[in-house]
Amino acid sequence: MLRLIDRDWTLELLPEIGGAVARLAWRGIEILRPMPASQVPAPIDAVRHTCAYPLLPWSNRIRDGQLHWRGAVYPLATNSPLDTRDSPHPIHGIGWQQRWQVIAHDSRHAALGYEFAARGAEAQSWPFAHRGRQDFTLAGNTLTLDLALTSTVASSVALAGAVALTVPSTGSSKTNSPAPIEVPGGLGWHPFFVAEADAELFCPVRAHWLADDQRLPIRPEPVPAAWHFPHRAQRVSSLVLDSGFAEWSGHAQLRRPAAGVIVTIAATLPLRHLVLFRRADAPWIAIEPVSHMTDAFNRADAGETGTGTQALAAGATLAARITLTCRVAHSDGAKADMR
């Protein structure tokens, strides 16, 4: 475990368990759901019990474990053994199931990374070689997380695992050089924020994805009237949901009067999709900034626009920054900060 301490912050990281966060506290206040002590140390599949974990090289579900991309179909292994409902749909990428290496570390900064070669059996979980990186920095009242996904697919290699690949004929007998390979990519972060009974969320989003019973998107709709958090603060305790949202502003605010703290979440492009997840009576809410909608790559391959899918050429990097800024919630006038 790595521990970072900077004046008001304490951050504990688990590089060997999916590059996850084990604890994040500000001035002694737990900002993220603490990982149960019984889970530390833990096997790598305990990452879902941590405070937060990275989503690389995709977020949320890929329908039926079938990735359709540029005329090929890639079967993907399931990766959520603890939830049989998810078993047909690989979820949240593979970064959370990797053992990350420590690239750099001091009291206020840590860089973690992993390399995925997509060779042999591991190509069944994702067929495209890539590199993942997280940089955590503590400064003042802000935690900064820089996420990066770099394609390391060679432009001339045969991609493993494709069921079928259709190359349009040009009608020419000339031998052409291999076309540059572009692969789908996405990223995000899955933090669980502590939310007491009086906690309130303000989170401007414009559209909600109606989903089926497998939590796969059907169509976008206006945000239901019962969820007024896009316009004004709403008690987290009134929310029970596992839903994707589009056209997120890139900002959210969680006010926790009982703890005396306001947490502001900000994210750069391309993180303009959002997932909110909370179970009934849970003392937390997951606020997940992500670059794309659920099952985005398949929908983009079918011609849908606005999915957030990114096509990465060999050597290209997709990067984003997330910040958490904390400040004291004063009883006087604190409500004025929440729309």
Side-chain angles (χ1 to χ4, degrees):
M1 180 184 290
L2 293 182
R3 181 174 285 109
L4 280 65
I5 298 176
D6 177 47
R7 198 178 66 179
D8 295 330
W9 289 100
T10 299
L11 172 64
E12 295 176 354
L13 301 172
L14 297 167
E16 72 283 4
I17 305 180
V21 177
R23 184 181 182 222
L24 179 67
W26 179 77
R27 298 187 181 179
I29 302 167
E30 302 295 338
I31 300 303
L32 299 181
R33 173 191 74 179
M35 185 177 184
S38 61
Q39 297 287 344
V40 183
I44 195 166
D45 61 3
V47 67
R48 301 285 286 274
H49 299 286
T50 61
C51 296
Y53 51 87
L55 307 175
L56 300 164
W58 80 87
S59 159
N60 221 285
R61 295 159 181 80
I62 294 180
R63 183 184 293 274
D64 296 324
Q66 299 288 308
L67 172 65
H68 297 256
W69 184 253
R70 303 288 172 88
V73 181
Y74 300 90
L76 302 179
T78 58
N79 67 347
S80 188
L82 300 181
D83 187 344
T84 56
R85 180 167 54 177
D86 284 339
S87 61
H89 316 300
I91 189 169
H92 290 334
I94 62 170
W96 61 281
Q97 295 177 312
Q98 305 302 306
R99 297 185 184 277
W100 292 60
Q101 303 300 311
V102 179
I103 300 170
H105 173 223
D106 60 33
S107 64
R108 296 188 295 179
H109 171 254
L112 311 179
Y114 75 89
E115 297 270 355
F116 186 79
R119 295 195 188 105
E122 70 179 7
Q124 295 174 15
S125 58
W126 188 246
F128 308 124
H130 64 276
R131 178 186 309 118
R133 178 167 173 142
Q134 300 180 91
D135 282 80
F136 295 87
T137 305
L138 303 176
N141 291 322
T142 299
L143 162 72
T144 299
L145 169 59
D146 289 300
L147 287 166
L149 170 70
T150 300
S151 172
T152 56
V153 172
S155 60
S156 60
V157 301
L159 298 180
V163 171
L165 180 62
T166 303
V167 180
S169 172
T170 62
S172 169
S173 60
K174 290 177 63 177
T175 301
N176 295 319
S177 299
I181 292 173
E182 290 187 329
V183 301
L187 43 71
W189 198 40
H190 198 311
F192 295 86
F193 290 88
V194 176
E196 299 87 355
D198 63 348
E200 294 180 317
L201 174 68
F202 172 60
C203 185
V205 291
R206 290 187 178 178
H208 163 252
W209 279 98
L210 180 68
D212 62 21
D213 60 0
Q214 296 288 304
R215 287 176 278 182
L216 290 162
I218 299 172
R219 63 180 180 273
E221 292 189 335
V223 177
W227 297 343
H228 58 73
F229 55 79
H231 312 293
R232 64 186 189 279
Q234 180 167 359
R235 282 282 177 100
V236 172
S237 58
S238 70
L239 299 173
V240 178
L241 72 176
D242 186 357
S243 299
F245 298 87
E247 298 183 66
W248 177 42
S249 68
H251 291 83
Q253 196 171 85
L254 184 65
R255 180 177 179 268
R256 297 168 50 195
V261 66
I262 295 173
V263 184
T264 299
I265 303 120
T268 64
L269 292 169
L271 303 178
R272 287 300 177 264
H273 293 256
L274 192 74
V275 177
L276 297 179
F277 170 45
R278 181 181 179 271
R279 297 191 178 109
D281 301 321
W284 49 260
I285 183 170
I287 304 172
E288 309 165 40
V290 295
S291 62
H292 59 81
M293 64 177 292
T294 298
D295 200 32
F297 304 158
N298 285 332
R299 297 175 77 114
D301 196 64
E304 186 170 337
T305 60
T307 66
T309 297
Q310 305 283 328
L312 302 180
T317 296
L318 177 64
R321 171 171 287 185
I322 299 167
T323 59
L324 306 184
T325 301
C326 294
R327 59 189 175 90
V328 174
H330 298 290
S331 56
D332 250 354
K335 285 262 189 188
D337 296 323
M338 305 283 285
R339 298 292 192 276

